[in-house]
Amino acid sequence: GALVELIRKEGVAGYLSGIVPAIVVLINPAIQLALYGRLRGALKRRTGNAPTPTQAFVMGAAAKGLAVLVTFPAQTVKLRMQAGMTQDQALDRERLVRALRGSKSVWEVVESVCSLWRGVGSKMCTSMLHSALMFAIVELFRVFNGSVAKSMRSKRVAA
């Protein structure tokens, strides 16, 4: 079928070439969910209660903010490569190597590394707001589901 034809034409490396970009896309929500789970668990241990929607809003925003900061450079390189740059160009490797080899200024190194976070501000704002709203709504649903389940249990006991 198509898979055999792809491997025959492109080889195993060609078949697996889309794996790294796919993993890069998956890392951000994985980090976000793990961080939110840790924050939620810590709050529940400390207070004995599940988070309120307001607390979930803040924790969701914080979790997404950290996830974006950690993964933004990888996403930047991925987008640059999709735009036709080589990996070296996407990483701005030539500039970084030149800066590390004897630059008169440490700022060249800093600028090269920081270029991987260029544009993070707007991404951070929208992503954090979306995440914050999502987790606040999730906690609202948990409260609603809990009250429905409690109501159903009390009706069964009364019957």
Side-chain angles (χ1 to χ4, degrees):
L3 177 60
V4 173
E5 183 67 25
L6 175 66
I7 291 174
R8 191 176 299 136
K9 275 183 156 179
E10 304 292 330
V12 175
Y15 171 68
L16 297 176
S17 66
I19 296 287
V20 172
I23 290 171
V24 167
V25 171
L26 293 175
I27 291 171
N28 184 287
I31 292 171
Q32 171 192 349
L33 288 172
L35 288 171
Y36 181 79
R38 297 287 295 215
L39 291 170
R40 188 178 194 282
L43 180 71
K44 195 163 185 175
R45 281 189 302 279
R46 199 181 93 216
T47 65
N49 298 317
T52 65
T54 303
Q55 291 167 326
F57 184 93
V58 172
M59 291 187 306
K64 187 60 166 190
L66 287 169
V68 168
L69 279 177
V70 169
T71 61
F72 198 80
Q75 290 177 351
T76 299
V77 170
K78 176 183 149 263
L79 289 171
R80 287 176 181 176
M81 290 176 72
Q82 286 175 334
M85 291 184 176
T86 67
Q87 185 175 5
D88 286 348
Q89 289 171 327
L91 289 168
D92 203 4
R93 190 171 293 176
E94 184 179 308
R95 180 175 165 191
L96 181 60
V97 169
R98 189 177 60 246
L100 289 172
R101 280 194 180 143
S103 167
K104 295 176 186 167
S105 168
V106 73
W107 288 112
E108 280 188 63
V109 176
V110 171
E111 285 176 6
S112 180
V113 172
C114 288
S115 75
L116 296 174
W117 277 276
R118 194 168 292 132
V120 74
S122 59
K123 173 72 171 169
M124 188 80 78
C125 290
T126 57
S127 294
M128 287 174 68
L129 180 59
H130 291 160
S131 180
L133 289 171
M134 179 186 72
F135 283 112
I137 292 168
V138 164
E139 294 302 334
L140 281 171
F141 276 119
R142 284 184 174 160
V143 169
F144 175 76
N145 288 339
S147 63
V148 168
K150 185 178 179 181
S151 173
M152 291 178 74
R153 280 193 300 271
S154 66
K155 286 181 182 179
R156 272 191 242 138
V157 171

